[in-house]
Amino acid sequence: MKDTTHGTPQGGRKGDAASTSPNGPERLLERYRAARERRSVWESHWQDCYDHALPNGQPFRGGGIPGERRVDRLFDGTAPDAVEQLAASLLAELTPPWSRWFGLQPGPSLPDGERDRVAPMLDRAAGIVQAHVDRSNFAVEIHQAFLDLVTVGTACLLMEEAPPGGASSLRFTAVPLAEAVLEEGADGRLDGTFRRSEATLAQIERRFPGVTIPDAVRERGSAEPDSRFPLVEAVLPDGLAYRWTVVLDSGLADPATLAEGRFAQSPFINFRWLKAPGETYGRSPVMKALPDIKTANKVVELVLKNASVAVTGIWQADDDGVLNPATIRLVPGTIIPKAVGSAGLTPLANPGRFDVSQLVLDDLRTRIRHALLADRLGPLDQPRMTATEVVERSAEMARLLGATYGRLQAELLTPLVLRAVGILRRRGEIPDIAVDGRTVALQHRSPLAQAQAQRDVQATLRWLDTARQLGPEALSAVDVAATARWLGEAFGVPAKLVRAEAPRG
């Protein structure tokens, strides 16, 4: 496996593997099929969510055709609009583009003197990592992953090492859930990933040069250059590392291992919105609102049908031997003949009640927007807010997304930063540091993280105000320099702006 594919595998090799080994191609395919069978019960539910809330998502019923229309069954746009708003809010509050949403700081095991010495170096290293993330396609792909997360509750982001010489050393791909089959490890994380894709013979030879390809596959690929062959890519835990294997499952010959290697961190980052006990895949806010979404969609469909009836009308006519309903065209200026004394063509009364339909539809749309947080995390109507309103809105956002943010911090943000640090450290672009939480700690600086830290900051500031009101004796108990350093850490102030603590003695 090349470095330009996913990173740096350790001890990688290419060629066929014995099918009797635990990591042999046949054993891996059996494990993949078993995991896919367990996933099959979710697919119809996921497809309903995609059809009604994210029609552009890759379908589970067949591979789909790029560019095809997928909105023929969609009549109400409330859910798709709210899904896009919630995904945009997650992007802005968790990983805002071109903003520092994480940092590196000295861990608790370092002494104070060592902390002051390494803090500026760690701050520069975090800036380098952030710059590589910003220059990559991260903002585009993570937004698509957030759309999947909000719609079906589970998302998969592939983080690869880019070829040398590019603007960034990192490359990201939002993997559709239709291609990803996941396994949950003993620690409750989705650390086992299978990905099924298809490639032509030329693409296989270009990606895995020098690999031994079965004769039947080579003959089919040479005779039909557009033929595509299934590839199953597996990244599974192997001790403290991860084993990567690519298996050719052509159906024309025995399964063959095209490449394998090892990673320190998994290149697939799988994360969930909400996890129910005993389930592997996550659940989404769209799943909770799906009954209302389906009902609103049906109500709009019926309203449109009723509107067409109201516009064109329903007519009846006597069979008097003169009037032929099959030849009537209801256009302006038409003269319709009828027999003397007959009723001719008469309209039927329309039984529809548009006012009742609108009341039901307004209530459904309100509940949908409430379930998808569009009414609480959406854009502001007023151009200006007071400082109190800003604080209250931040507190409301932290309360609404607190549980979800904790899961995303553990399953998305932390693994992403750790893998980025590992890639850039191996390339020599940042110092040899280990973000283990003891010597070097990861600090989250996203707007949502800052909103959650506001409570501690406000409590400290109230304590300072109280001490100031009590007089000089109370103020003497305040270590002003230490308080300023703590506030700097809480606000995410760069370490180069904080003066090092003077040695005591």
Side-chain angles (χ1 to χ4, degrees):
M1 183 179 184
K2 291 185 178 180
D3 292 348
T4 57
T5 305
H6 290 311
T8 304
Q10 302 168 358
R13 68 174 182 85
K14 300 174 183 177
D16 295 334
S19 60
T20 57
S21 66
N23 297 309
E26 293 183 356
R27 293 290 183 86
L28 281 177
L29 290 180
E30 290 176 1
R31 184 171 175 179
Y32 161 72
R33 294 188 184 104
R36 185 167 183 173
E37 180 66 23
R38 293 191 296 269
R39 193 197 73 169
S40 62
V41 296
W42 290 87
E43 294 180 359
S44 60
H45 196 183
W46 289 338
Q47 190 62 55
D48 275 347
C49 294
Y50 276 128
D51 289 342
H52 293 88
L54 191 65
N56 294 328
Q58 182 169 328
F60 291 88
R61 306 186 187 107
I65 302 174
E68 67 176 336
R69 294 178 56 185
R70 300 175 183 171
V71 294
D72 293 338
R73 297 175 52 193
L74 192 63
F75 295 93
D76 182 68
T78 305
D81 180 66
V83 164
E84 291 187 0
Q85 288 192 29
L86 182 52
S89 296
L90 291 176
L91 178 65
E93 297 299 329
L94 292 178
T95 57
W98 300 100
S99 299
R100 181 71 71 87
W101 48 270
F102 68 88
L104 300 176
Q105 62 182 8
S109 64
L110 290 179
D112 293 339
E114 189 72 9
R115 290 169 59 89
D116 295 335
R117 186 183 66 84
V118 303
M121 181 268 292
L122 294 177
D123 196 63
R124 287 192 299 270
I128 294 173
V129 177
Q130 182 76 60
H132 278 273
V133 172
D134 290 335
R135 294 196 301 265
S136 69
N137 62 337
F138 174 74
V140 176
E141 298 299 323
I142 193 62
H143 180 256
Q144 180 59 49
F146 282 149
L147 288 172
D148 289 338
L149 177 71
V150 173
T151 305
V152 294
T154 307
C156 178
L157 184 68
L158 174 60
M159 184 177 181
E160 302 174 289
E161 181 178 350
S168 173
S169 299
L170 309 175
R171 182 173 59 193
F172 298 87
T173 303
V175 179
L177 199 57
E179 298 180 3
V181 178
L182 310 177
E183 288 184 343
E184 189 177 48
D187 58 354
R189 297 187 180 184
L190 296 175
D191 53 1
T193 307
F194 296 93
R195 184 188 183 188
R196 186 186 185 279
S197 59
E198 295 182 348
T200 63
L201 177 62
Q203 292 171 337
I204 294 175
E205 291 178 335
R206 184 167 56 251
R207 183 179 178 186
F208 309 105
V211 72
T212 301
I213 298 178
D215 294 337
V217 175
R218 188 173 296 277
E219 291 174 2
R220 171 71 64 84
S222 300
E224 302 175 11
D226 293 335
S227 297
R228 305 180 70 85
F229 304 99
L231 300 177
V232 176
E233 184 176 0
V235 176
L236 302 172
D238 187 14
L240 298 178
Y242 292 84
R243 178 175 293 276
W244 168 76
T245 310
V246 180
V247 176
L248 175 63
D249 185 22
S250 63
L252 303 175
D254 292 336
T257 300
L258 298 181
E260 59 181 10
R262 289 174 64 84
F263 291 98
Q265 298 96 13
S266 174
F268 290 98
I269 302 174
N270 308 309
F271 49 100
R272 296 164 289 193
W273 177 273
L274 174 69
K275 180 184 180 299
E279 295 182 347
T280 298
Y281 295 91
R283 292 188 175 268
S284 68
V286 169
M287 292 180 180
K288 179 176 65 174
L290 194 56
D292 288 333
I293 295 173
K294 286 184 174 182
T295 305
N297 196 61
K298 192 63 177 180
V299 168
V300 173
E301 181 183 2
L302 296 176
V303 167
L304 293 176
K305 289 181 178 179
N306 200 1
S308 68
V309 170
V311 172
T312 60
I314 300 178
W315 303 79
Q316 64 180 354
D318 293 333
D319 187 5
D320 54 11
V322 176
L323 180 65
N324 184 2
T327 63
I328 295 176
R329 297 292 180 266
L330 296 177
V331 295
T334 300
I335 298 176
I336 302 175
K338 74 181 187 68
V340 177
S342 69
L345 190 66
T346 58
L348 288 176
N350 180 18
R353 292 289 305 278
F354 286 95
D355 52 347
V356 176
S357 301
Q358 191 61 42
L359 290 174
V360 173
L361 190 58
D362 290 342
D363 182 59
L364 290 171
R365 286 172 172 171
T366 299
R367 292 207 299 264
I368 292 170
R369 294 178 61 83
H370 186 78
L372 297 180
L373 307 179
D375 57 345
R376 290 176 283 183
L377 299 182
L380 299 174
D381 295 330
Q382 61 273 23
R384 295 182 179 179
M385 289 195 304
T386 64
T388 303
E389 290 174 334
V390 172
V391 172
E392 291 299 326
R393 183 175 174 84
S394 299
E396 176 73 3
M397 190 176 305
R399 184 181 66 84
L400 293 175
L401 295 179
T404 300
Y405 173 68
R407 179 172 297 280
L408 293 179
Q409 179 176 313
E411 295 186 349
L412 169 64
L413 302 181
T414 300
L416 189 150
V417 175
L418 293 182
R419 176 155 171 78
V421 168
I423 292 175
L424 296 178
R425 180 182 59 199
R426 187 190 57 79
R427 283 196 169 192
E429 300 196 32
I430 61 174
D432 188 9
I433 56 177
V435 187
D436 55 4
R438 296 183 298 273
T439 57
V440 178
L442 175 62
Q443 183 186 33
H444 296 280
R445 298 180 180 178
S446 65
L448 188 56
Q450 295 292 333
Q452 290 186 325
Q454 286 296 319
R455 180 175 300 178
D456 293 338
V457 171
Q458 292 298 325
T460 301
L461 294 179
R462 286 197 301 269
W463 172 67
L464 291 176
D465 290 339
T466 303
R468 186 181 299 109
Q469 294 174 5
L470 292 176
E473 293 184 1
L475 283 176
S476 63
V478 179
D479 189 336
V480 179
T483 303
R485 292 189 188 91
W486 183 87
L487 290 174
E489 292 182 0
F491 284 120
V493 176
K496 62 182 179 181
L497 300 182
V498 179
R499 183 178 299 173
E501 183 177 2
R504 299 178 182 179

